[in-house]
Amino acid sequence: MTGDARLSWQAVQEIVRQRIRQRIWKPGDQIPHEADLAQELGCARATVNRALRGLADAGLLERRRKAGTRVALNPIRRAEFSIPLIREEIENRGERFDFRILTREMRPPPPDIQARLQIGEDAPILYLQTLYMANHMPYVFETRWVNTRAVPAAQEARFDTMSPNEWLVREVAFDGGDFALSAISASTQEAFILGCSAGAGLLALDRTTRNGRQMITSVRLVFHAGYRLHTRA
Amino acid sequence: MTGDARLSWQAVQEIVRQRIRQRIWKPGDQIPHEADLAQELGCARATVNRALRGLADAGLLERRRKAGTRVALNPIRRAEFSIPLIREEIENRGERFDFRILTREMRPPPPDIQARLQIGEDAPILYLQTLYMANHMPYVFETRWVNTRAVPAAQEARFDTMSPNEWLVREVAFDGGDFALSAISASTQEAFILGCSAGAGLLALDRTTRNGRQMITSVRLVFHAGYRLHTRA
DNA sequence: CTCATCATTATGTACATACTTATACGGATT
DNA sequence: AATCCGTATAAGTATGTACATAATGATGAG
C-alpha cells in the first residue's frame, strides 16, 4: 500500500465485500454493472470482472447475463471440505503414520459396488481392508474395491511400504469422482477395529474415483469416533 | 463445433485434462509453460492462463512462479460440498417443507458456545430449537444460539412463517464462517425428535457465522438417520 | 567454500479493445 | 390478454501488450 497504484482485483473484491457487509448493498439488491464499477473505482472492466467472478464463485454474488449482478440471498451455501490425505494429515500433526492391510483378496463385489464401478458380471475383483493409524491408534478404516479390469497391475502390487491409496495415486490417473458423507453406527467389526463401542456414531466417506469413463476404485473410509471434518469460508 | 474458431479456455482445459488422463503428462511432471502451450494450440497466453488457473483451482495442477506448472501428485483432495439450504433441498424434491420451533428462550450459553461466539460473560442470549420436516417427516433438527448482542432485533422476531435461518439471512449480512462435520450418536432427545433409535449414528453439521468480526450465530444441524451429503468432482 | 546479489524466467496481474452470447424487456401480433 | 419476437444490454470471452512478482540458478565477493 504505497498509497496508490491502480486497484488490483483483490482490492476490488475487498471493496465489494465491505459494501455487502455494511449492507450498502443488501441481499437481493442489484449492484452496479461492471462498466460503472470500473469507472467508479478507476480500473479496467476486466479487473472488476475478475473480482466479481471470484465472489460469484464463492457464492457471495449471483450473476446472470443481461440481468446483472446481485448480492446472493443466501450467502454461505458452499463450503469446500478438503478430503484428507490420510498420511499428510497425520504427519502434519507430528504424529506417526502407519497402516496395516487387514484383508486382501479377489472377491466378487456386491451389487451396489458392481453398480458403482459399472462392471456387469460378478467376477471377482480386488478387495482390500486397511487400517490407518496415527501414533499406533486406529485413525481410519478403509474398505476398498479396485476395478482390476481397469487396473490389472493392482493384482500384483505389494502394499508393504506404500498404502493402497498411494499406490493407486501413483499408478493411475484420476480424473474425478463421487463423494458422499454420511454417519453410520459402528458394526461390531468396525467397533473392534477402530477401538470404539459398537453402535457409536462414525463418520463415513464414500468415494468412487474415475478416469474418463473408467471407474477405478470405490472406497469407504470410516473415521475414528470423534473425528471432525472442518473448514472455514 | 462449426469446425474451427480459436480455442476457448474451456477447450484448452479439456485438452489438458485429456493429456493428464492419457498420462501423456504424468503426476509430478512439468507441463510446457504457458507461452509454449499458447503457441502450440494457437491461442493467446491469457487464454491458456485462464484454463490452467482453473485446473489449478480444481486441484488438478500445481503452479508456482518460475518453477512452472506440474500435474498434481494427488489429484482429488478437494471436494466442495454444498451446504444444504433446507427449504430448497426439500422443495426441490417436490416434498412439503415445514418447520416447528420446539424451544425459544433467552438462556446463558455454555462455555463452548461462549467461545465460539466470542462473548465473554454468560448473560443470556437467544436459544432456539427447531425441527425441519419434509412431508411431515423429521428431516433435520437445529439447535441455534443467536448472538443477540450483535443482532438485538432477533429477540422480537417472530418465526411463524419464516424459519430462524431464513430470518437471519434476510436481516443480517453474513460474511464467512466455520463449518465442521461430524458423526454423533443420537441422544434420547434427538432420537425422539428425529424418530430414530437412540444411539443411531447421525450426521451433525456445526456452523458459526460471522459478519466481519462480529460472530452472529452458532448452529448445530443434526440430520435424520441415513442422510447423505454428496458431491461430484 | 559460503553467502549475498543479480539476471533470468515462468507465472501473475492489469488494461484497452473487440467481439460473443444469453436474456430481460418491451413492442407487435394474434 | 396471452404469445411471439426482436433488440438492447450486461456479462462472458479472446487477444496483444505491458509490467509485477517470485523463485531459481549462476555469478562474484569475502
Side-chain angles (χ1 to χ4, degrees):
Chain A
M1 310 294 179
T2 39
D4 63 335
R6 280 215 261 4
L7 289 174
S8 67
W9 64 267
Q10 286 98 330
V12 174
Q13 272 202 349
E14 199 37 52
I15 290 170
V16 175
R17 280 205 138 90
Q18 274 178 30
R19 293 192 184 172
I20 293 173
R21 200 160 42 225
Q22 296 164 3
R23 313 210 91 210
I24 296 171
W25 296 333
K26 299 202 227 0
D29 281 5
Q30 271 223 357
I31 75 172
H33 53 253
E34 293 186 346
D36 286 359
L37 260 180
Q39 189 171 26
E40 182 204 328
L41 302 175
C43 63
R45 183 166 82 89
T47 308
V48 175
N49 181 290
R50 179 84 162 82
L52 297 189
R53 195 188 343 123
L55 292 173
D57 285 348
L60 221 65
L61 296 177
E62 278 168 12
R63 324 191 71 196
R64 261 168 46 231
R65 288 180 168 167
K66 161 80 183 178
T69 303
R70 45 186 62 238
V71 180
L73 275 172
N74 197 316
I76 321 264
R77 48 196 318 177
R78 257 165 284 186
E80 194 174 84
F81 289 94
S82 67
I83 300 304
L85 247 190
I86 312 291
R87 163 170 248 137
E88 223 175 57
E89 183 171 65
I90 291 173
E91 289 179 344
N92 279 349
R93 287 209 310 255
E95 300 186 344
R96 181 176 167 68
F97 169 80
D98 209 357
F99 72 92
R100 210 146 57 88
I101 308 278
L102 305 182
T103 312
R104 180 205 177 129
E105 60 188 39
M106 298 299 282
R107 180 193 282 204
D112 61 317
I113 299 293
Q114 277 182 38
R116 271 218 278 264
L117 293 179
Q118 296 175 13
I119 46 180
E121 349 90 67
D122 39 24
I125 62 172
L126 183 59
Y127 174 77
L128 287 160
Q129 287 186 310
T130 313
L131 177 63
Y132 295 90
M133 288 166 287
N135 280 350
H136 308 291
M137 299 284 291
Y139 193 79
V140 58
F141 173 50
E142 175 188 283
T143 306
R144 180 185 294 267
W145 293 89
V146 182
N147 183 356
T148 29
R149 206 118 17 257
V151 196
Q155 291 181 67
E156 280 87 50
R158 312 193 39 194
F159 301 122
D160 39 12
T161 58
M162 203 182 294
S163 74
N165 183 52
E166 289 170 311
W167 185 89
L168 276 166
V169 163
R170 277 182 56 107
E171 293 299 316
V172 316
F174 292 160
D175 189 49
D178 299 305
F179 299 83
L181 272 167
S182 54
I184 60 168
S185 297
S187 68
T188 47
Q189 188 206 19
E190 287 156 349
F192 176 72
I193 291 172
L194 287 169
C196 61
S197 48
L202 300 178
L203 199 59
L205 172 63
D206 293 294
R207 161 173 29 171
T208 303
T209 321
R210 99 182 90 75
N211 179 18
R213 293 225 157 51
Q214 288 235 301
M215 307 307 285
I216 303 295
T217 183
S218 183
V219 197
R220 158 164 283 195
L221 297 178
V222 178
F223 292 88
H224 68 271
Y227 183 83
R228 290 165 75 81
L229 200 58
H230 53 78
T231 189
R232 50 191 337 137
Chain B
M1 308 292 179
T2 38
D4 64 333
R6 274 216 261 8
L7 288 175
S8 67
W9 63 267
Q10 287 98 329
V12 174
Q13 272 202 349
E14 199 37 52
I15 290 171
V16 174
R17 281 205 139 89
Q18 275 179 28
R19 293 194 183 171
I20 293 174
R21 202 162 37 229
Q22 296 165 3
R23 313 209 91 209
I24 296 170
W25 296 333
K26 299 202 224 7
D29 281 5
Q30 271 222 355
I31 74 172
H33 53 252
E34 294 186 347
D36 286 0
L37 260 180
Q39 188 170 26
E40 182 203 330
L41 302 175
C43 63
R45 183 168 81 90
T47 307
V48 175
N49 181 291
R50 179 83 163 83
L52 297 189
R53 198 189 337 124
L55 291 173
D57 285 348
L60 221 65
L61 295 177
E62 278 167 13
R63 325 191 70 196
R64 260 168 50 230
R65 288 183 163 156
K66 163 76 184 179
T69 302
R70 45 186 61 238
V71 180
L73 275 172
N74 197 318
I76 320 260
R77 47 194 320 173
R78 260 167 283 186
E80 192 174 86
F81 289 93
S82 68
I83 299 304
L85 246 192
I86 312 291
R87 163 170 249 138
E88 222 175 58
E89 183 171 65
I90 292 173
E91 289 179 343
N92 279 349
R93 286 210 308 255
E95 301 185 342
R96 183 176 165 67
F97 170 80
D98 208 358
F99 71 92
R100 211 146 57 85
I101 308 278
L102 305 182
T103 312
R104 182 207 177 125
E105 60 188 39
M106 298 298 283
R107 180 192 283 203
D112 61 318
I113 299 292
Q114 278 181 39
R116 269 217 279 261
L117 293 179
Q118 296 175 12
I119 48 181
E121 348 91 67
D122 40 23
I125 61 172
L126 182 60
Y127 175 76
L128 286 160
Q129 286 186 309
T130 312
L131 178 63
Y132 296 89
M133 288 166 288
N135 280 349
H136 309 290
M137 299 286 290
Y139 193 79
V140 58
F141 173 49
E142 175 187 283
T143 307
R144 182 187 291 269
W145 295 88
V146 181
N147 183 356
T148 29
R149 206 116 22 255
V151 197
Q155 290 182 68
E156 280 86 50
R158 312 192 38 194
F159 301 122
D160 38 11
T161 58
M162 204 182 293
S163 75
N165 183 52
E166 289 170 312
W167 184 90
L168 276 166
V169 163
R170 277 182 57 107
E171 293 300 316
V172 317
F174 293 161
D175 189 49
D178 298 305
F179 299 82
L181 272 168
S182 54
I184 61 168
S185 297
S187 68
T188 48
Q189 189 206 20
E190 287 156 348
F192 177 72
I193 291 171
L194 287 169
C196 62
S197 49
L202 300 178
L203 200 59
L205 172 63
D206 293 294
R207 159 173 32 172
T208 304
T209 323
R210 97 182 93 75
N211 179 19
R213 293 226 157 52
Q214 288 233 303
M215 306 309 285
I216 303 294
T217 184
S218 183
V219 198
R220 158 164 282 194
L221 297 178
V222 178
F223 292 88
H224 68 270
Y227 182 84
R228 288 166 75 82
L229 200 58
H230 54 79
T231 189
R232 50 189 340 135

